[in-house]
Amino acid sequence: MSTAIEHAVIKTGGKQYRVSQGDVIFVEKLDKAEGETIVFTDVLAVFGKDKIKTGNPVKGVEVSGTVLKNGKNKKIKVFKYKAKKNYRVLSGHRQPYTKIQISSIAVVGP
């Protein structure tokens, strides 16, 4: 791709994210420590000034980023209830996440 790449669509954790250089995204928890570099090779689409390139994955494009933080989201309450049966269950859940700052979208290879 000869033009500069502005945006890319990456897939991680079963979800798709539209990213550009400098973006901060929250993804499903990844097995990386804070400060490590991560490379996404599963790029589904690339957007330039006047071109769009798609594929599954797009060949020769990598998105790299730095792990800023591993943490948990706010707690959500899950309440199960059945009327007239004296059944009530209250539980909570905190989803783990990884906070990533996108550092570059690069064309690799020939």
Side-chain angles (χ1 to χ4, degrees):
M1 196 165 185
S2 60
T3 61
I5 298 173
E6 293 181 356
H7 301 283
V9 176
I10 61 171
K11 185 168 88 171
T12 179
K15 298 178 179 68
Q16 297 175 6
Y17 301 90
R18 182 177 181 184
V19 296
S20 60
Q21 189 172 349
D23 283 355
V24 175
I25 59 172
F26 292 86
V27 300
E28 295 293 319
K29 188 170 186 329
L30 299 172
D31 212 12
K32 297 282 186 180
E34 294 179 18
E36 281 189 55
T37 301
I38 185 165
V39 177
F40 299 101
T41 56
D42 209 1
V43 179
L44 303 177
V46 175
F47 304 95
K49 287 236 184 241
D50 55 352
K51 279 195 166 184
I52 297 175
K53 188 174 182 182
T54 60
N56 194 6
V58 176
K59 293 184 173 108
V61 179
E62 287 183 347
V63 176
S64 61
T66 306
V67 176
L68 299 177
K69 181 181 176 184
N70 287 315
K72 289 185 176 181
N73 283 333
K74 291 175 67 175
K75 181 177 272 193
I76 61 166
K77 293 181 180 175
V78 179
F79 185 68
K80 297 180 181 179
Y81 170 79
K82 295 197 187 280
K84 302 175 194 159
K85 302 295 181 200
N86 198 22
Y87 174 78
R88 293 170 185 83
V89 176
L90 178 66
S91 61
H93 177 72
R94 292 183 68 190
Q95 184 70 27
Y97 68 85
T98 300
K99 184 178 178 182
I100 299 174
Q101 181 168 19
I102 303 299
S103 56
S104 69
I105 303 170
V107 176
V108 293

